[in-house]
Amino acid sequence: MYKKEISKAVINRLPRYYRYLGDLLEKDVVRISSKELSEKMKVTASQIRQDLNNFGGFGQQGYGYNVEYLHSEIGKILGLDTKYNVIIIGAGNLGQALANYVDFERRGFFVKGIFDISPKLIGTQIRGNVVRNSEELEEYLKTNKVDIAAITVPKTKAPGLAADLAKWGIKGIWNFAPTDLNLPKDVTVENVHLAESLMKLSYKLSGKDEVNI
Amino acid sequence: MYKKEISKAVINRLPRYYRYLGDLLEKDVVRISSKELSEKMKVTASQIRQDLNNFGGFGQQGYGYNVEYLHSEIGKILGLDTKYNVIIIGAGNLGQALANYVDFERRGFFVKGIFDISPKLIGTQIRGNVVRNSEELEEYLKTNKVDIAAITVPKTKAPGLAADLAKWGIKGIWNFAPTDLNLPKDVTVENVHLAESLMKLSYKLSGKDEVNI
DNA sequence: TAGATTGTTAATCGATTAACAATC
DNA sequence: TAGATTGTTAATCGATTAACAATC
């Protein structure tokens, strides 16, 4: 018995499978074959079967996959059967947008605290949460279990803040600052780089994905 | 002479090169070798040279790369030497966050209009832009050149809206709704799926990236 | 000129697709 | 049982890394 690493390409596809299966579930679809799903998702049926078989055999020959079961299993793989306590650091527009995004709760992510350094924001309410002073962070983390910290502070502040959070025991960081965070490897970072996403769009629009040769 | 497709993997890395070179530029670093850059970025020097050579020889043997020149060239490849007119559809928290994100202007993306269907939001001001009624969209697009539409409306509304935008001539869509948009292939879509990003973080935290076998 | 580092070809590695036997 | 579709192996394709000649 040994451990097999799941490739990053597979992991990146899992949430999309989960989304499509959730949509099917809402439409009361009971079963689906890899071929049908592949047509909806515009991927190959082969890839779907390969991907799923990294985690075990969820289907049945001659039948396909039970939508509800597969959805639930992928949910478990993604850790969506767990509840996560989330704090948001940086109560600017983006931080507020995240705090107000109700849908996250449905997946088990609960915003427990919002922090900022601006006196204008400290003390204000965002969806039932009072914005706290960022200076209280260390103390807060001593008495509250926090699984994920969303970082929505300016670029220059992010690396130092992330290092502090790691020191104070945070294991998951959802980083929106346009910078890379170099942290001990027991800390997991997931980046959302909006500016880079926009640049990719710009690239595709400018039509330079074909180069004369 | 034929056209060579640039692989998606390469495109995805370009904005990150651009960011690192921008940081170096701010620190007044004049030149850098692929080896030095590879150590900062935690990729192989070989990959950097391969990636850049998709677009031409930007370096010089025995010297490396001139930071300012390379930064500028990658900017051009990404289409950042162009100005883009952007509209935002959906003036909720996320739409407002995008509208307030000043940094985009620095890269050439100018928010020219914000639209919503909510009477509470129509007429309010967001960074100098009056929120317009979404019903005015078609008319607006007849008289204004718009390169990119950012979609921050609920999931159910997004596909129909995107189809309309495509019909009305929009060629670039920055999609924040948690759904795929199937549009004619002359319309470019760049997705930002926050929920999927969070699920990936959840996956990594739950430690299922190793599977017993 | 000698040293450094690119640009580029060749080798390796990993991911995707195809094929088909197993089996429901 | 016959038909359908999975699970899984083998073949293909593409991306990454290594190596080194070219050259500044």
Side-chain angles (χ1 to χ4, degrees):
Chain A
M1 190 173 107
Y2 67 100
K3 302 270 188 175
K4 185 182 56 153
E5 278 278 338
I6 304 297
S7 86
K8 219 185 150 195
V10 174
I11 300 165
N12 285 335
R13 286 192 289 265
L14 285 181
R16 189 157 177 265
Y17 291 135
Y18 188 76
R19 176 158 54 82
Y20 272 83
L21 289 163
D23 290 349
L24 289 167
L25 204 52
E26 277 184 13
K27 287 187 212 147
D28 297 314
V29 176
V30 174
R31 72 172 199 86
I32 194 157
S33 68
S34 58
K35 182 157 180 293
E36 287 172 282
L37 188 58
S38 76
E39 283 157 8
K40 280 184 193 296
M41 297 186 66
K42 304 185 180 185
V43 297
T44 62
S46 206
Q47 181 167 77
I48 292 175
R49 295 203 299 278
Q50 283 279 23
D51 284 354
L52 297 180
N53 272 85
N54 279 297
F55 304 97
F58 299 129
Q60 197 168 77
Q61 283 97 330
Y63 173 86
Y65 300 88
N66 177 285
V67 172
E68 188 173 359
Y69 175 68
L70 185 57
H71 180 259
S72 152
E73 287 300 309
I74 295 179
K76 281 185 215 162
I77 292 165
L78 288 169
L80 303 179
D81 51 347
T82 314
K83 300 231 175 303
Y84 296 94
N85 290 334
V86 179
I87 58 171
I88 295 169
I89 307 166
N93 288 290
L94 191 53
Q96 289 186 31
L98 295 180
N100 280 296
Y101 207 156
V102 193
D103 235 39
F104 293 147
E105 284 196 3
R106 201 159 56 91
R107 303 289 180 222
F109 303 91
F110 296 90
V111 175
K112 295 291 192 174
I114 305 173
F115 296 83
D116 205 291
I117 54 165
S118 159
K120 278 186 193 161
L121 290 168
I122 294 167
T124 60
Q125 291 256 346
I126 300 173
R127 252 190 110 243
N129 279 290
V130 182
V131 177
R132 291 180 164 85
N133 191 325
S134 295
E135 286 178 7
E136 296 168 20
L137 257 173
E138 183 174 9
E139 195 58 32
Y140 179 90
L141 291 174
K142 281 183 187 157
T143 46
N144 295 274
K145 178 183 169 287
V146 173
D147 306 292
I148 294 170
I151 296 185
T152 57
V153 302
K155 174 177 180 161
T156 49
K157 301 264 174 81
L161 170 64
D164 282 342
L165 290 170
K167 198 171 63 190
W168 299 331
I170 291 279
K171 293 284 176 266
I173 290 184
W174 201 18
N175 176 45
F176 287 79
T179 182
D180 291 336
L181 304 174
N182 291 311
L183 299 171
K185 70 176 176 323
D186 67 323
V187 180
T188 302
V189 178
E190 169 73 20
N191 291 303
V192 179
H193 288 329
L194 293 181
E196 297 191 7
S197 167
L198 196 46
M199 286 181 204
K200 279 188 259 173
L201 179 55
S202 166
Y203 173 84
K204 291 187 268 179
L205 285 175
S206 69
K208 280 169 197 131
D209 54 332
E210 287 171 350
V211 159
N212 292 322
I213 223 170
Chain B
M1 191 172 108
Y2 66 99
K3 302 270 187 175
K4 187 180 57 154
E5 277 280 337
I6 305 298
S7 87
K8 219 185 149 193
V10 173
I11 299 166
N12 284 335
R13 287 192 289 267
L14 286 180
R16 189 158 176 265
Y17 291 135
Y18 188 76
R19 174 158 56 82
Y20 272 82
L21 289 163
D23 290 348
L24 289 167
L25 204 53
E26 275 184 14
K27 286 185 211 148
D28 295 316
V29 176
V30 174
R31 71 172 201 87
I32 194 157
S33 68
S34 58
K35 184 158 179 294
E36 288 173 280
L37 188 57
S38 77
E39 283 157 7
K40 281 185 192 294
M41 295 186 65
K42 306 188 178 184
V43 297
T44 62
S46 206
Q47 182 166 77
I48 292 175
R49 295 204 298 277
Q50 283 277 25
D51 283 354
L52 297 180
N53 273 86
N54 280 296
F55 304 98
F58 300 128
Q60 197 168 80
Q61 283 97 330
Y63 173 86
Y65 299 87
N66 177 285
V67 173
E68 190 174 356
Y69 174 69
L70 185 57
H71 181 258
S72 153
E73 287 299 309
I74 295 179
K76 281 186 215 162
I77 292 165
L78 289 169
L80 303 179
D81 52 347
T82 313
K83 300 231 175 303
Y84 296 95
N85 290 335
V86 179
I87 59 172
I88 296 170
I89 307 167
N93 290 289
L94 191 52
Q96 290 186 31
L98 295 181
N100 280 295
Y101 208 155
V102 194
D103 235 38
F104 294 146
E105 283 196 6
R106 202 161 54 90
R107 302 289 179 222
F109 303 91
F110 296 90
V111 176
K112 294 291 190 172
I114 306 174
F115 296 83
D116 205 290
I117 54 164
S118 159
K120 278 186 192 160
L121 290 168
I122 294 167
T124 60
Q125 290 256 347
I126 299 173
R127 256 190 105 242
N129 278 291
V130 182
V131 177
R132 291 179 164 86
N133 191 327
S134 296
E135 285 178 7
E136 296 168 20
L137 256 173
E138 184 175 8
E139 196 56 34
Y140 179 90
L141 292 174
K142 279 183 190 158
T143 46
N144 295 274
K145 178 182 169 286
V146 174
D147 305 293
I148 295 171
I151 295 185
T152 57
V153 303
K155 174 178 179 160
T156 49
K157 300 265 174 79
L161 170 63
D164 283 341
L165 291 170
K167 198 170 64 190
W168 299 332
I170 291 279
K171 293 284 176 265
I173 290 184
W174 201 20
N175 176 46
F176 288 79
T179 182
D180 291 336
L181 305 175
N182 291 310
L183 299 171
K185 68 175 179 322
D186 66 324
V187 180
T188 302
V189 178
E190 169 74 21
N191 291 304
V192 179
H193 288 329
L194 294 180
E196 296 190 8
S197 166
L198 195 47
M199 286 182 205
K200 279 189 259 174
L201 179 56
S202 166
Y203 174 85
K204 290 187 268 181
L205 285 173
S206 69
K208 281 169 196 131
D209 54 331
E210 287 171 350
V211 158
N212 292 321
I213 225 170

